[in-house]
């Protein structure tokens, strides 16, 4: 547990009497936080009172369930790249938010949770206080890399600063600060100016850059793989791809780093073919999970890793070279080392032909494709698409053209059903300037559809398309195809989604074809003062899995 130094300064203009809650809110404001996604309760009453007093600088977006609060913060972090904050009560409040915290961890999203606690002196004694949970700090420490308890007003600003620093250091990710019910309201003389700690940056290893540049320059069939860690390095990845005429593979987290209109931009199935041919792979901010676990590796393939997390490159197998730090400056140095002498013949014709061939194979997913085309036709270039664990989502990862970074939000390796609506709501709240489109199946949507109430209350203009097949369709199709049609626990009884949404005060309509969906989306994106739901009844859709889980190509 981190301890801040006690303030020993006498009362001057630079100091003021503040409660722990007031000092925490002031520190958050110093760090540029202007919104707290939250669900209140007695443990955090002093904190909410401090938020009330800071209303000129801080908005509170209260949700209808703690998972909603956490997913909204997560979506806002993904859409902006900036730290976002949520607050919940201890015990059940924390656990209700835990799936979102887990997802933020898996996606390296800078989400700070402020979690209440039982009275300080009772922690660990098992007396049965309201919302008590055994070893809350221990549970939290398993979920995130940085956590601490604020135990006095004088600790608040420093712990906020340390949490903010930790969330942006090396591999970014979530952090948690706890505070006990009787500590939030305690006051003391504290410095008015809250500290902001610098984010330490890895020194760039020039020798390693030169070595990597040499390998890339000599590569005959280089392939770049972009992950979530490449989202802030789109210009550099694009330039390097041009220089090397190297295709850029992205699947979930790296979509939009290289514009899909570039014929060098590929998704999984063509990426796998290229992985099989490559002599050098450059992984940028990616775990290279599919390459290492499914497609195979052999001594003819040299892997170069760029990663903010120094432990990451070695996890599957030692790479030929590892460059540790932020992708953007590292790629800039690589480009500088390559640029002067490097020219390659264009691969445009070859890639266009291969893209067209792969596209023909992907026509197997024609029903999904038709809906994705309707979506792409209406969603502006900088509009944000929020993926779900549903048939349209799986197809979107392979087939939806994405033009810009941070415009395709996909849940990463957790692939947790139900994340979508609330995450999209946070993205739309943080980016009111662009339309955000959430998609979901009938199964996933009802996980957080209660947050339509939040969208209406806070006038968040999110659009959602619910593809309703009356089933946990993905599970059901597996049972039919691989388990002798023994269908169990995958059929669903649904509300009338249109009437359901309208009952909250949202706009809603039904679209029965891709053409009707397009027209409905046009109407939805024009509406900027509240949410819209579009229900699309669909039959069972063709399986995408042959394009996702594919056999080994080398090794
Ligand atoms: C948190 C979580 N629980 C369960 C699953 C397993 N799962 C994956 S897809 C799916 C069914 C999805 O149903 P729906 O949202 O209706 O989409 P559909 O496949 O019908 O398009 C389930 C239960 C999961 N991925 N995540
Ligand atoms: Mg379904």
């Amino acid at each position: 547990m981190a301890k801040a130094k006690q303030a020993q300064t006498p009362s001057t203009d630079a100091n003021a009497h503040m409660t722990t809650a007031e000092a925490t809110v002031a520190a958050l404001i110093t760090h540029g936080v202007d919104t707290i996604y939250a669900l209140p309760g007695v443990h955090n009453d002093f904190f909410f009172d401090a938020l009330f007093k800071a209303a000129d600088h801080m908005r509170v977006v209260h949700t209808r369930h703690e998972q909603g609060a956490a997913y909204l913060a997560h979506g806002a972090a993904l859409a902006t790249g900036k730290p976002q904050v949520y607050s919940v009560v201890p015990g059940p409040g924390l656990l209700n938010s835990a799936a979102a915290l887990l997802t933020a961890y898996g996606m390296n999203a800078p989400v700070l949770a402020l979690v209440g606690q039982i009275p300080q002196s009772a922690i660990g004694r098992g007396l049965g206080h309201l919302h008590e949970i055994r070893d809350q700090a221990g549970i939290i420490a398993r979920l995130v890399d940085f956590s601490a308890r604020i135990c006095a007003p004088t600790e608040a600003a420093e712990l906020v600063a340390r949490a903010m620093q930790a969330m942006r250091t090396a591999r970014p990710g979530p952090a948690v600060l706890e505070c006990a019910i009787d500590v939030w309201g305690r006051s003391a003389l504290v410095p008015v100016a809250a500290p902001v700690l610098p984010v330490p940056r890895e020194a760039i290893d020039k020798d390693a850059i030169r070595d990597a540049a040499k390998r890339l320059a000599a590569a005959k069939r280089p392939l770049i793989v972009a992950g979530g860690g490449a989202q802030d390095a789109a210009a550099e990845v694009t330039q390097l791809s041009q220089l090397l005429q190297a295709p850029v593979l992205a699947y979930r987290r790296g979509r939009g780093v290289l514009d899909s209109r570039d014929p060098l931009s590929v998704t999984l199935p063509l990426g796998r073919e290229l992985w099989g041919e490559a002599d050098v792979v450059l992984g940028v901010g990616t775990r290279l999970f599919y390459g290492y676990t499914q497609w195979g590796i052999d001594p003819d393939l040299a892997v170069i890793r760029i990663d903010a997390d120094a432990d990451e490159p070695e996890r599957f197998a030692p790479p030929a070279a590892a460059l540790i730090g932020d992708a953007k400056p590292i790629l800039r140095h690589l480009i500088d080392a390559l640029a002067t002498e490097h020219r390659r013949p264009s691969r445009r014709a070859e890639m266009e032909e291969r893209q067209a061939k792969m596209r023909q194979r992907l026509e197997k997913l024609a029903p999904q494709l038709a809906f994705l085309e309707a979506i792409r036709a209406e969603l502006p270039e900088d509009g944000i698409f929020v993926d779900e664990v549903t048939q349209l989502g799986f197809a979107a990862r392979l087939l939806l053209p994405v033009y810009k970074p941070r415009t395709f939000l996909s849940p990463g390796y957790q692939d947790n059903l139900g994340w979508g609506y609330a995450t999209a709501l946070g993205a739309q709240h943080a980016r009111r300037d662009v339309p955000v489109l959430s998609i979901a199946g009938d199964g996933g949507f009802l996980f957080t559809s209660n947050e339509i109430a939040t969208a209406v209350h806070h006038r968040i203009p999110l659009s959602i398309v619910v593809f309703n097949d009356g089933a946990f369709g993905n599970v059901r199709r597996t049972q039919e195809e691989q388990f002798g049609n023994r269908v169990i626990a995958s059929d669903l009884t649904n509300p009338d989604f249109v009437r359901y949404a309208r009952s909250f005060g949202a706009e809603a309509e039904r679209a029965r074809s891709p053409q009707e969906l397009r027209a409905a989306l046009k109407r939805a994106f024009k509406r900027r003062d509240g949410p819209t739901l579009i229900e699309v009844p669909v039959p069972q859709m063709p399986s995408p899995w042959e394009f996702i889980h594919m056999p080994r190509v080398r090794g």
Side-chain angles (χ1 to χ4, degrees):
M1 190 63 47
K3 288 261 177 232
K5 276 191 217 114
Q6 295 292 316
Q8 286 160 350
T9 11
S11 180
T12 66
D13 285 352
N15 297 292
H17 279 282
M18 277 194 238
T19 63
T20 305
E22 288 164 351
T24 301
V25 172
L28 291 171
I29 291 167
T30 300
H31 283 84
V33 175
D34 60 11
T35 306
I36 307 267
Y37 302 96
L39 205 153
V42 65
H43 294 78
N44 295 336
D45 280 350
F46 277 96
F47 178 63
F48 279 79
D49 193 47
L51 290 171
F52 182 92
K53 291 177 190 155
D56 287 349
H57 304 284
M58 192 69 93
R59 280 169 302 187
V60 178
V61 176
H62 57 300
T63 61
R64 302 305 291 268
H65 188 287
E66 282 93 357
Q67 72 169 341
Y71 280 129
L72 259 78
H74 182 47
L78 295 174
T80 61
K82 298 202 180 98
Q84 304 287 341
V85 182
Y86 80 89
S87 176
V88 293
V89 295
L94 167 67
L95 294 187
N96 281 341
S97 79
L101 204 52
L102 176 70
T103 313
Y105 180 80
M107 297 180 71
N108 314 311
V111 172
L112 173 62
L114 297 174
V115 181
Q117 248 294 12
I118 63 169
Q120 181 103 324
S121 60
I123 294 172
R125 296 176 62 195
L127 300 174
H129 276 272
L130 175 68
H131 301 343
E132 181 167 355
I133 183 170
R134 196 163 53 177
D135 193 14
Q136 176 165 284
I139 292 166
I140 289 168
R142 288 290 190 174
L143 292 173
V144 298
D145 286 336
F146 179 91
S147 57
R149 187 178 305 135
I150 305 170
C151 294
T154 48
E155 294 183 3
E158 185 178 324
L159 285 179
V160 167
R162 286 186 51 203
M164 288 287 176
Q165 182 188 45
M167 290 196 294
R168 299 171 57 218
T169 299
R171 180 188 284 281
V176 180
L177 293 175
E178 292 178 286
C179 186
I181 182 169
D182 55 332
V183 172
W184 277 133
R186 229 175 261 171
S187 69
L189 202 58
V190 300
V192 173
V196 175
L197 300 173
V199 177
R201 297 281 172 223
E202 289 274 346
I204 293 202
D205 181 344
K206 298 272 169 58
D207 291 338
I209 296 269
R210 256 192 303 276
D211 176 52
K214 249 190 226 153
R215 285 176 186 276
L216 285 168
K220 294 201 172 61
R221 309 288 288 177
L223 170 68
I224 299 171
V225 184
Q231 284 291 341
D232 293 326
E236 290 74 15
V237 169
T238 304
Q239 198 181 343
L240 189 62
S241 159
Q242 280 308 309
L243 264 177
L244 297 170
Q245 286 297 296
V248 177
L249 159 63
Y251 174 44
R252 290 180 296 216
R253 307 285 327 286
R255 301 292 314 280
V257 170
L258 182 62
D259 190 318
S260 297
R261 289 167 293 203
D262 189 324
L264 289 167
S265 172
V266 304
T267 65
L268 274 195
L270 192 46
R272 168 179 163 273
E273 274 183 30
L274 294 158
W275 179 278
E277 299 161 13
D279 53 352
V280 177
V281 161
L282 174 66
V284 184
T286 168
R287 296 178 170 90
L288 290 176
F289 187 87
Y290 281 82
Y292 279 125
T293 61
Q294 297 186 17
W295 306 338
I297 182 106
D298 59 40
D300 296 333
L301 177 60
V303 178
I304 304 172
R305 308 282 301 265
I306 298 178
D307 211 283
D309 176 356
D311 296 334
E312 173 57 37
E314 303 277 334
R315 283 202 171 109
F316 277 110
L323 305 169
I324 303 303
D326 280 355
K328 195 179 177 71
I330 291 175
L331 285 168
R332 180 58 44 215
H333 277 83
L334 262 184
I335 290 163
D336 290 347
L338 272 167
T340 42
E341 75 264 29
H342 215 78
R343 284 284 169 275
R344 288 184 182 226
S346 168
R347 289 181 72 181
R348 174 172 279 275
E350 173 209 339
M351 289 304 297
E352 278 175 349
E353 196 187 320
R354 296 179 74 166
Q355 296 268 18
K357 249 195 209 147
M358 183 54 74
R359 177 67 181 218
Q360 261 173 12
R361 281 186 51 203
L362 286 160
E363 285 294 330
K364 192 201 153 192
L365 306 179
Q368 291 97 312
L369 196 51
F371 286 118
L372 290 176
E373 279 168 358
I375 288 170
R376 191 66 275 180
E378 288 305 321
L379 187 67
E381 279 197 22
D382 53 1
I384 297 172
F385 178 93
V386 183
D387 180 23
E388 247 287 356
V389 192
T390 181
Q391 304 314 304
L392 258 289
F394 300 142
R397 296 168 193 182
L398 306 172
L399 281 160
L400 182 76
V402 183
Y403 306 133
K404 298 201 158 143
R406 295 196 187 283
T407 62
F408 185 86
L409 308 184
S410 183
Y413 68 84
Q414 286 303 334
D415 235 354
N416 54 340
L417 189 62
W419 90 308
Y421 188 69
T423 301
L425 206 48
Q428 182 69 89
H429 182 265
R431 291 289 315 273
R432 279 194 95 93
D433 54 319
V434 293
V436 176
L437 178 66
S438 173
I439 61 140
D442 48 332
F445 178 55
L446 282 188
F447 278 49
T448 54
S449 62
N450 57 333
E451 302 300 349
I452 299 175
T454 303
V456 172
H457 186 87
H458 296 281
R459 297 176 186 277
I460 305 172
L462 176 66
S463 305
I464 167 90
V465 184
V466 181
F467 292 92
N468 180 4
D469 64 353
F472 286 135
N474 203 59
V475 178
R476 188 188 173 106
R477 194 182 47 222
T478 304
Q479 292 168 349
E480 288 175 9
E481 291 177 359
Q482 294 171 37
F483 290 87
N485 210 19
R486 292 186 293 282
V487 170
I488 177 167
S490 59
D491 54 332
L492 299 176
T493 300
N494 285 320
D496 176 328
F497 285 108
V498 171
R499 283 171 54 208
Y500 174 71
R502 283 184 187 151
S503 74
F504 285 89
E507 289 284 324
E509 62 178 297
R510 197 164 280 118
R512 297 186 181 280
S513 65
Q515 295 71 25
E516 286 186 18
L517 175 60
R518 193 170 166 185
L521 284 172
K522 200 186 279 297
R523 285 187 282 276
F525 292 151
K526 279 207 188 103
R527 185 156 187 246
R528 301 315 291 156
D529 62 345
T532 304
L533 176 144
I534 302 165
E535 184 199 345
V536 181
V538 288
Q540 188 176 81
M541 299 217 178
S543 170
W545 292 105
E546 70 194 74
F547 304 110
I548 297 169
H549 293 148
M550 293 174 289
R552 189 170 274 274
V553 276
R554 65 192 305 160

